[in-house]
Amino acid sequence: MLVVDASAVAGWLLPDEGGLDPAALLAGEEPVAAPWLLWAELRNILVVNERRGRIPAGIVEQAVEAVEGLGIALDTAPSGPGVLALARRHGLTVHDALYLELALRGRGRLATLDAALRRAAEAEGVAATGQTTATPSASAARRSAASSVASRPRARSASSRYSAS
């Protein structure tokens, strides 16, 4: 299982953001998942960036549609005590601890651009993928790759699917 956090997904979509190559991350048949929180975090990131003029009006809906096409399964059953323990042990927000808890519970790896979350994952024995630098042309290439990956049908099984509902 590959757990993706909001920073990784936003890095695929926002101009001038450092990020991960979605085509490389999503190339295999590995299930992709995130806590239910991704639904709200992604929309908030996009709307705030639209409001600030960083992305054009109307792009939010297109970006959400592209992400929905990736088939990211949204988990709705975190371990409450586990999330709190991770947040306390590593000084994480509860939001970030949700992603780490899912990766631990699913025995998966984590894709994040958040350095603190990446360090916590590695301390917990979770393989973490992420980088923090990119050029604008690399960002454009990632967005293009995300669009092409989004057009591929991907079967996912989990507690729910990423949905605009």
Side-chain angles (χ1 to χ4, degrees), residues 16-115:
D16 304 326
E17 280 291 319
L20 304 168
D21 179 3
L25 276 176
L26 305 174
E29 294 302 314
E30 181 178 31
V32 181
W36 56 269
L37 181 64
L38 179 66
W39 190 96
E41 282 190 316
L42 178 62
R43 283 160 175 77
N44 187 62
I45 289 167
L46 292 170
V47 166
V48 166
N49 279 280
E50 179 184 63
R51 188 178 304 136
R52 292 179 179 164
R54 190 167 177 218
I55 58 175
I59 293 295
V60 171
E61 289 80 2
Q62 292 174 18
V64 167
E65 186 177 322
V67 172
E68 288 172 351
L70 297 175
I72 299 170
L74 296 181
D75 178 72
T76 60
S79 163
V83 169
L84 293 175
L86 289 167
R88 289 177 175 132
R89 185 164 45 247
H90 299 289
L92 298 172
T93 65
V94 169
H95 293 175
D96 286 346
L98 279 166
Y99 292 98
L100 181 52
E101 186 275 336
L102 178 58
L104 282 164
R105 185 168 28 97
R107 297 183 183 162
R109 57 194 181 105
L110 179 65
T112 180
L113 299 180
D114 184 308

